[in-house]
Amino acid sequence: MAGLLEARTGQQLTLSRRWRIETALSALLRERHIATMDELITILVANKDTNLSDQVVEALLNNETYFFRDRTPFDMLEQEVLPRLHAARKDQRRLRVWSAGCSSGQEAYSIAMLLAENPAKWDGWTVDIIGTDVSQAVVERARKAHYSQFEVQRGLGIQQTIRWFRENENGWQANEALKRKVRFEQRNLLEPAPSGGPFDIVLCRNVLLYLNNERRRIAFDRIAEAIAEDGALLLGAGETVIGQTTRFEADPTARGIYRPSGVAEGQQPVRFGT
């Protein structure tokens, strides 16, 4: 199972995470009337049901996300990154944001809400926000922008919920004004970046953890090729560029933010201001 996931997506299930395989696949086994994991493996090895392989990969992907996840990065964006980019882009009046590994869309919609809630600052600007994910299922869900009560409560305040969502019998539906602010597409982070760049902000949070060192280097290269020279990269709390790539280095003024170093892989990075 772990090999299938890695072959299809580049993501690894480390030994410490393989405990979740059976849990993740239990619903699929019931749905397909497959009695045991051994029977599932036999079917996959026979390679007679490609749709089943797709379902297994989808089930094994970790799609954990929520609105304004780990609020600190969004505070840094609002207080440090966006003011700098606003000043730097004041002539073009255009901002491009890429949420890589967007899962079911909450991160991308969080960025859209963050910008929309400061209309005086961004009035007259063209703001492009794209979310990408390797999973077609979560991309389709992100486009629909329909969330459960639990998902909406997890990260959104009452005012934000009322402004951007309407309640129905099955949960909460994002209004069209919010949905129009973001576009989504299926894309593997190891592939070339989506069109629309160079991106001023790239969020790639808690994705690189699941890649081996070589694939992580490729992912950093893809991001470096797509980000603006003065752009900002946000990683997850447990991720870093240190010892991983020479294409990025820490922003000296904003902890947890990374900037392109302008240095090709294998060369030595130069500090900002030198």
Side-chain angles (χ1 to χ4, degrees):
M1 302 300 174
L4 176 63
L5 178 67
E6 185 171 2
R8 290 286 194 90
T9 70
Q11 296 188 21
Q12 290 185 312
L13 271 176
T14 61
L15 291 176
S16 63
R17 293 179 59 241
R18 294 194 181 188
W19 62 269
R20 66 180 295 271
I21 291 178
E22 191 164 349
T23 301
L25 296 177
S26 58
L28 178 59
L29 292 177
R30 290 193 299 271
E31 177 188 333
R32 298 294 294 261
H33 305 291
I34 298 173
T36 65
M37 291 292 292
D38 287 341
E39 183 182 348
L40 174 61
I41 292 170
T42 299
I43 298 171
L44 292 174
V45 170
N47 199 30
K48 294 181 179 179
D49 191 338
T50 56
N51 185 53
L52 178 60
S53 298
D54 294 341
Q55 289 179 304
V56 168
V57 171
E58 291 282 357
L60 291 176
L61 289 169
N62 183 0
N63 294 315
E64 168 72 5
T65 187
Y66 51 91
F67 291 104
F68 293 96
R69 183 178 184 181
D70 307 326
R71 182 74 206 203
T72 299
F74 292 93
D75 290 340
M76 285 193 298
L77 277 176
E78 187 172 24
Q79 298 164 14
E80 303 285 345
V81 176
L82 288 173
R84 172 169 60 82
L85 289 171
H86 188 275
R89 305 289 188 270
K90 62 182 179 181
D91 293 331
Q92 303 97 322
R93 298 172 73 82
R94 183 165 189 172
L95 187 73
R96 301 176 175 94
V97 182
W98 175 21
S99 171
C102 68
S103 188
S104 44
Q106 286 94 318
E107 180 177 81
Y109 286 126
S110 295
I111 295 293
M113 286 184 276
L114 183 68
L115 294 168
E117 287 167 2
N118 196 347
K121 188 170 187 177
W122 300 104
D123 183 44
W125 284 61
T126 299
V127 178
D128 299 318
I129 304 173
I130 181 169
T132 65
D133 199 279
V134 70
S135 168
Q136 182 63 39
V138 297
V139 166
E140 291 174 357
R141 186 158 183 260
R143 288 172 179 156
K144 293 177 182 176
H146 188 273
Y147 301 100
S148 68
Q149 179 73 31
F150 173 74
E151 289 172 317
V152 167
Q153 288 180 328
R154 195 181 182 195
L156 291 182
I158 294 175
Q159 294 303 317
Q160 287 175 314
T161 301
I162 293 173
R163 178 178 181 185
W164 297 110
F165 295 82
R166 67 177 185 275
E167 188 175 13
N168 57 39
E169 61 182 10
N170 296 315
W172 292 82
Q173 175 66 58
N175 62 35
E176 290 301 317
L178 180 59
K179 290 174 65 177
R180 283 195 299 268
K181 296 178 185 297
V182 187
R183 61 188 174 98
F184 295 96
E185 66 178 59
Q186 181 186 20
R187 186 172 294 270
N188 193 321
L189 187 57
L190 303 178
E191 299 171 348
S195 61
F199 295 98
D200 305 300
I201 299 171
V202 177
L203 299 97
C204 185
R205 303 171 62 213
N206 306 304
V207 178
L208 301 177
L209 291 171
Y210 304 111
L211 304 180
N212 63 27
N213 290 337
E214 176 60 21
R215 290 192 174 100
R216 197 175 298 138
R217 182 191 64 77
I218 294 171
F220 276 123
D221 285 346
R222 294 290 184 246
I223 297 170
E225 292 161 3
I227 198 169
E229 292 181 358
D230 59 346
L233 169 65
L234 278 75
L235 301 178
E239 298 170 317
T240 183
V241 304
I242 299 173
Q244 307 294 321
T245 180
T246 61
R247 304 295 297 270
F248 291 91
E249 60 182 349
D251 188 314
T253 62
R255 184 179 180 183
I257 304 293
Y258 301 92
R259 289 182 175 182
S261 65
V263 178
E265 190 65 39
Q267 296 180 345
Q268 293 298 314
V270 179
R271 293 183 178 276
F272 286 113
T274 62

